[in-house]
Amino acid sequence: MTNLQIFLDVATEAALAGGGILQSYLGKLEDAIIEKGRPGDLVTAADKASEEVVLEILRRHFPQHSILAEESGKLGDGESEYLWAIDPLDGTTNYAHQYPFFAVSIGLLINGVPQVGVIYDPFHNELFRAAAGLGATRNRRPITVSATSELNKSLLVTGFAYDRRETSDNNYAEFCHFTHLTQGVRRSGSASLDLAYVACGRVDGYWERGLSPWDIVAGIILVQEAGGKVTAYDGTPLKIESGRILATNSHIHNTVSRELLQVPPLSAWK
Protein backbone atom coordinates (compact mmCIF):
# COMPACT_ATOMS: atom_id res chain seq x y z
CA MET A 1 0.00 0.00 0.00
CA THR A 2 1.20 3.51 -0.80
CA ASN A 3 1.31 6.17 1.89
CA LEU A 4 -1.56 8.00 0.18
CA GLN A 5 -3.71 4.87 0.34
CA ILE A 6 -2.92 4.51 4.03
CA PHE A 7 -3.76 8.16 4.64
CA LEU A 8 -7.00 7.71 2.69
CA ASP A 9 -8.03 4.65 4.67
CA VAL A 10 -7.37 6.30 8.03
CA ALA A 11 -9.22 9.45 6.96
CA THR A 12 -12.13 7.22 5.97
CA GLU A 13 -12.11 5.55 9.39
CA ALA A 14 -12.15 8.97 11.06
CA ALA A 15 -14.90 10.39 8.82
CA LEU A 16 -17.17 7.40 9.37
CA ALA A 17 -16.63 7.64 13.13
CA GLY A 18 -17.40 11.36 13.11
CA GLY A 19 -20.48 10.76 11.01
CA GLY A 20 -21.71 8.19 13.49
CA ILE A 21 -21.49 10.81 16.22
CA LEU A 22 -23.48 13.27 14.12
CA GLN A 23 -26.21 10.73 13.56
CA SER A 24 -26.43 9.99 17.28
CA TYR A 25 -26.91 13.68 18.16
CA LEU A 26 -29.28 14.59 15.33
CA GLY A 27 -32.53 16.01 16.67
CA LYS A 28 -31.38 15.72 20.29
CA LEU A 29 -29.41 18.93 20.78
CA GLU A 30 -32.15 20.99 22.45
CA ASP A 31 -30.31 24.00 23.93
CA ALA A 32 -26.78 22.79 23.10
CA ILE A 33 -26.42 25.23 20.19
CA ILE A 34 -24.51 28.49 20.51
CA GLU A 35 -23.21 31.26 18.23
CA LYS A 36 -19.43 31.56 17.97
CA GLY A 37 -19.42 35.35 17.65
CA ARG A 38 -20.98 36.19 14.30
CA PRO A 39 -24.76 35.88 13.78
CA GLY A 40 -25.51 32.53 12.19
CA ASP A 41 -22.07 31.03 12.90
CA LEU A 42 -23.20 28.13 15.05
CA VAL A 43 -21.46 25.40 17.01
CA THR A 44 -23.13 22.44 18.69
CA ALA A 45 -22.22 19.65 21.04
CA ALA A 46 -22.22 17.42 17.96
CA ASP A 47 -19.46 19.49 16.28
CA LYS A 48 -17.25 19.07 19.33
CA ALA A 49 -17.97 15.38 19.86
CA SER A 50 -17.38 14.58 16.20
CA GLU A 51 -14.11 16.52 16.18
CA GLU A 52 -12.94 14.73 19.31
CA VAL A 53 -13.29 11.28 17.75
CA VAL A 54 -11.74 12.39 14.45
CA LEU A 55 -8.74 13.88 16.26
CA GLU A 56 -8.28 10.75 18.35
CA ILE A 57 -8.07 8.54 15.29
CA LEU A 58 -5.72 10.80 13.34
CA ARG A 59 -3.42 11.34 16.32
CA ARG A 60 -3.29 7.62 17.04
CA HIS A 61 -2.16 6.80 13.51
CA PHE A 62 -0.11 9.93 12.73
CA PRO A 63 1.14 11.50 15.97
CA GLN A 64 3.76 13.61 14.15
CA HIS A 65 1.33 15.22 11.73
CA SER A 66 -0.02 18.74 12.11
CA ILE A 67 -3.78 19.34 12.33
CA LEU A 68 -6.00 22.32 11.57
CA ALA A 69 -9.48 21.71 12.97
CA GLU A 70 -12.43 24.09 12.93
CA GLU A 71 -13.16 23.88 16.65
CA SER A 72 -9.68 23.19 18.07
CA GLY A 73 -7.53 25.29 15.74
CA LYS A 74 -3.89 24.42 14.95
CA LEU A 75 -2.54 21.35 16.72
CA GLY A 76 0.65 19.29 16.61
CA ASP A 77 3.99 19.91 14.94
CA GLY A 78 3.80 23.19 13.05
CA GLU A 79 6.86 22.20 11.01
CA SER A 80 5.37 18.97 9.67
CA GLU A 81 4.93 18.64 5.91
CA TYR A 82 1.59 16.96 6.65
CA LEU A 83 -1.41 19.07 7.62
CA TRP A 84 -4.86 17.62 8.17
CA ALA A 85 -7.72 20.08 7.62
CA ILE A 86 -10.82 18.94 9.50
CA ASP A 87 -14.40 20.12 9.59
CA PRO A 88 -16.21 17.76 11.97
CA LEU A 89 -19.61 19.13 10.96
CA ASP A 90 -19.80 21.10 7.74
CA GLY A 91 -23.29 22.51 7.56
CA THR A 92 -23.90 23.19 11.24
CA THR A 93 -26.86 25.51 10.60
CA ASN A 94 -28.49 22.82 8.46
CA TYR A 95 -27.77 20.26 11.16
CA ALA A 96 -29.19 22.42 13.95
CA HIS A 97 -32.44 22.70 11.99
CA GLN A 98 -32.41 18.99 11.05
CA TYR A 99 -32.08 19.97 7.40
CA PRO A 100 -30.44 16.88 5.86
CA PHE A 101 -27.39 18.40 4.19
CA PHE A 102 -24.25 18.20 6.31
CA ALA A 103 -21.03 16.23 6.37
CA VAL A 104 -17.71 15.40 7.97
CA SER A 105 -14.82 16.70 5.85
CA ILE A 106 -11.22 15.53 6.26
CA GLY A 107 -8.48 16.64 3.89
CA LEU A 108 -4.71 16.23 3.91
CA LEU A 109 -2.26 18.81 2.61
CA ILE A 110 1.28 17.61 1.90
CA ASN A 111 3.68 20.54 1.59
CA GLY A 112 0.65 22.77 1.13
CA VAL A 113 -0.94 20.75 -1.69
CA PRO A 114 -4.25 18.85 -1.25
CA GLN A 115 -3.48 15.15 -1.65
CA VAL A 116 -6.21 13.23 0.20
CA GLY A 117 -9.86 13.97 0.81
CA VAL A 118 -12.78 12.21 2.48
CA ILE A 119 -16.26 13.69 2.81
CA TYR A 120 -18.95 11.68 4.53
CA ASP A 121 -22.65 12.53 4.48
CA PRO A 122 -24.08 10.38 7.28
CA PHE A 123 -27.71 11.24 6.65
CA HIS A 124 -27.64 9.84 3.11
CA ASN A 125 -24.80 7.41 3.87
CA GLU A 126 -22.66 8.75 1.02
CA LEU A 127 -18.90 8.44 1.32
CA PHE A 128 -16.78 10.48 -1.09
CA ARG A 129 -13.05 9.66 -1.25
CA ALA A 130 -10.08 10.70 -3.33
CA ALA A 131 -6.30 10.76 -3.29
CA ALA A 132 -3.81 12.13 -5.80
CA GLY A 133 -3.41 9.63 -8.62
CA LEU A 134 -5.90 7.19 -7.11
CA GLY A 135 -9.12 8.61 -8.54
CA ALA A 136 -12.34 9.70 -6.86
CA THR A 137 -15.21 7.52 -5.64
CA ARG A 138 -18.65 7.65 -4.09
CA ASN A 139 -19.39 4.65 -1.92
CA ARG A 140 -16.31 2.96 -3.42
CA ARG A 141 -17.44 3.38 -7.03
CA PRO A 142 -15.61 5.71 -9.45
CA ILE A 143 -17.11 9.12 -10.12
CA THR A 144 -16.50 11.77 -12.76
CA VAL A 145 -17.60 15.33 -13.29
CA SER A 146 -20.44 16.19 -15.66
CA ALA A 147 -20.04 16.70 -19.41
CA THR A 148 -22.07 19.93 -19.54
CA SER A 149 -20.26 22.34 -21.83
CA GLU A 150 -22.61 25.33 -22.04
CA LEU A 151 -23.31 27.73 -19.19
CA ASN A 152 -26.98 28.12 -20.14
CA LYS A 153 -27.42 24.37 -19.68
CA SER A 154 -25.59 24.18 -16.37
CA LEU A 155 -26.63 23.91 -12.73
CA LEU A 156 -24.37 25.75 -10.28
CA VAL A 157 -24.11 25.86 -6.51
CA THR A 158 -22.72 28.49 -4.15
CA GLY A 159 -22.93 29.78 -0.59
CA PHE A 160 -22.85 32.94 1.49
CA ALA A 161 -20.28 33.78 4.16
CA TYR A 162 -21.23 34.43 7.78
CA ASP A 163 -20.31 38.12 7.44
CA ARG A 164 -22.73 38.66 4.56
CA ARG A 165 -24.79 41.07 6.67
CA GLU A 166 -21.85 43.38 7.33
CA THR A 167 -20.06 43.45 3.97
CA SER A 168 -21.07 44.34 0.43
CA ASP A 169 -18.64 41.63 -0.73
CA ASN A 170 -21.28 39.04 -0.01
CA ASN A 171 -21.93 37.02 -3.20
CA TYR A 172 -25.52 38.22 -3.62
CA ALA A 173 -24.86 39.92 -6.96
CA GLU A 174 -23.04 36.86 -8.29
CA PHE A 175 -25.93 34.65 -7.22
CA CYS A 176 -28.40 36.79 -9.17
CA HIS A 177 -26.09 37.07 -12.17
CA PHE A 178 -25.65 33.32 -12.58
CA THR A 179 -29.30 32.63 -11.88
CA HIS A 180 -30.04 34.59 -15.06
CA LEU A 181 -27.40 32.77 -17.11
CA THR A 182 -27.92 29.13 -16.08
CA GLN A 183 -30.66 26.59 -15.49
CA GLY A 184 -30.37 27.40 -11.80
CA VAL A 185 -28.15 28.17 -8.83
CA ARG A 186 -28.50 26.27 -5.57
CA ARG A 187 -27.40 27.28 -2.08
CA SER A 188 -26.95 24.14 0.03
CA GLY A 189 -25.13 25.32 3.15
CA SER A 190 -22.22 22.83 3.05
CA ALA A 191 -19.12 23.72 1.04
CA SER A 192 -17.63 20.24 1.25
CA LEU A 193 -20.75 18.60 -0.16
CA ASP A 194 -20.98 21.27 -2.85
CA LEU A 195 -17.53 20.23 -4.02
CA ALA A 196 -18.42 16.54 -3.73
CA TYR A 197 -21.46 17.16 -5.91
CA VAL A 198 -19.28 18.83 -8.55
CA ALA A 199 -17.02 15.78 -8.42
CA CYS A 200 -19.84 13.31 -8.99
CA GLY A 201 -21.58 15.37 -11.68
CA ARG A 202 -24.70 16.42 -9.79
CA VAL A 203 -23.82 20.07 -10.33
CA ASP A 204 -21.56 21.56 -12.97
CA GLY A 205 -19.78 24.24 -10.99
CA TYR A 206 -19.32 25.90 -7.61
CA TRP A 207 -17.90 29.18 -6.40
CA GLU A 208 -17.80 30.79 -2.96
CA ARG A 209 -15.88 33.23 -0.78
CA GLY A 210 -15.21 33.54 2.94
CA LEU A 211 -14.12 29.92 3.27
CA SER A 212 -11.59 28.28 5.59
CA PRO A 213 -9.15 25.50 4.64
CA TRP A 214 -11.19 22.86 6.48
CA ASP A 215 -14.15 23.72 4.23
CA ILE A 216 -12.43 22.95 0.94
CA VAL A 217 -9.21 20.90 1.17
CA ALA A 218 -10.96 17.52 0.91
CA GLY A 219 -13.25 18.74 -1.86
CA ILE A 220 -10.43 20.15 -3.95
CA ILE A 221 -8.75 16.80 -4.47
CA LEU A 222 -12.13 15.14 -5.06
CA VAL A 223 -12.95 17.50 -7.92
CA GLN A 224 -9.48 17.25 -9.43
CA GLU A 225 -9.39 13.46 -9.30
CA ALA A 226 -12.87 13.30 -10.83
CA GLY A 227 -11.65 15.30 -13.84
CA GLY A 228 -12.69 18.79 -12.79
CA LYS A 229 -10.79 22.03 -12.41
CA VAL A 230 -10.18 24.14 -9.29
CA THR A 231 -8.72 27.66 -9.38
CA ALA A 232 -9.06 31.17 -8.05
CA TYR A 233 -11.93 33.24 -9.45
CA ASP A 234 -9.71 34.57 -12.24
CA GLY A 235 -8.47 31.17 -13.30
CA THR A 236 -5.05 31.47 -11.67
CA PRO A 237 -3.78 28.78 -9.27
CA LEU A 238 -5.87 28.60 -6.12
CA LYS A 239 -4.51 30.05 -2.89
CA ILE A 240 -6.36 28.15 -0.18
CA GLU A 241 -5.81 30.90 2.37
CA SER A 242 -7.69 33.39 0.14
CA GLY A 243 -11.00 31.83 1.12
CA ARG A 244 -12.25 32.03 -2.49
CA ILE A 245 -12.65 29.08 -4.81
CA LEU A 246 -13.97 28.25 -8.26
CA ALA A 247 -14.50 24.57 -9.03
CA THR A 248 -16.16 23.22 -12.17
CA ASN A 249 -16.38 20.24 -14.49
CA SER A 250 -13.59 22.03 -16.44
CA HIS A 251 -15.77 22.42 -19.57
CA ILE A 252 -17.47 25.61 -18.35
CA HIS A 253 -14.59 26.82 -16.20
CA ASN A 254 -13.35 29.66 -18.37
CA THR A 255 -16.87 30.93 -18.97
CA VAL A 256 -17.77 30.94 -15.28
CA SER A 257 -14.48 32.64 -14.44
CA ARG A 258 -15.05 35.35 -17.04
CA GLU A 259 -18.60 36.00 -15.80
CA LEU A 260 -17.46 36.14 -12.17
CA LEU A 261 -15.01 38.90 -13.01
CA GLN A 262 -17.63 41.08 -14.71
CA VAL A 263 -20.63 40.74 -12.38
CA PRO A 264 -22.33 44.13 -11.93
CA PRO A 265 -22.26 45.38 -8.32
CA LEU A 266 -25.34 44.67 -6.23
CA SER A 267 -26.26 48.39 -6.30
CA ALA A 268 -26.81 48.11 -10.07
CA TRP A 269 -29.55 45.49 -9.71
CA LYS A 270 -33.12 46.75 -9.76
Side-chain angles (χ1 to χ4, degrees), residues 54-201:
V54 169
L55 290 177
E56 189 280 324
I57 291 170
L58 292 180
R59 283 168 160 170
R60 172 159 39 90
H61 287 276
F62 312 118
Q64 303 305 317
H65 289 192
S66 184
I67 294 173
L68 179 63
E70 181 174 15
E71 306 308 329
S72 302
K74 193 74 173 287
L75 303 168
D77 180 6
E79 302 300 316
S80 174
E81 63 182 309
Y82 301 101
L83 175 63
W84 292 92
I86 301 165
D87 193 337
L89 173 47
D90 183 28
T92 301
T93 300
N94 288 345
Y95 184 85
H97 290 271
Q98 298 183 55
Y99 184 81
F101 204 83
F102 52 85
V104 180
S105 180
I106 301 174
L108 175 63
L109 294 155
I110 303 179
N111 292 318
V113 179
Q115 296 285 284
V116 173
V118 176
I119 298 169
Y120 179 50
D121 171 355
F123 191 90
H124 299 100
N125 194 30
E126 289 196 312
L127 176 67
F128 298 90
R129 308 192 329 146
L134 300 180
T137 63
R138 180 184 68 86
N139 291 348
R140 315 284 178 161
R141 295 186 176 183
I143 56 175
T144 60
V145 294
S146 71
T148 303
S149 59
E150 298 175 48
L151 188 60
N152 64 356
K153 295 180 180 179
S154 70
L155 178 65
L156 305 183
V157 65
T158 190
F160 303 105
Y162 291 116
D163 65 355
R164 61 189 179 274
R165 299 172 178 85
E166 292 81 43
T167 177
S168 58
D169 184 22
N170 56 23
N171 209 26
Y172 292 158
E174 289 84 351
F175 185 93
C176 293
H177 186 72
F178 282 110
T179 297
H180 286 198
L181 297 178
T182 65
Q183 291 186 344
V185 179
R186 302 291 180 257
R187 190 277 173 107
S188 69
S190 171
S192 64
L193 283 178
D194 290 340
L195 286 162
Y197 279 25
V198 173
C200 71

Side-chain angles (χ1 to χ4, degrees), residues 2 18 23-24 34 46 52 62-63 75 80 100 105-106 155 176 187 210 238 245 252 257 264:
T2 66
Q23 282 288 67
S24 70
I34 61 173
E52 184 177 336
F62 312 118
L75 303 168
S80 174
S105 180
I106 301 174
L155 178 65
C176 293
R187 190 277 173 107
L238 177 69
I245 187 173
I252 62 171
S257 175

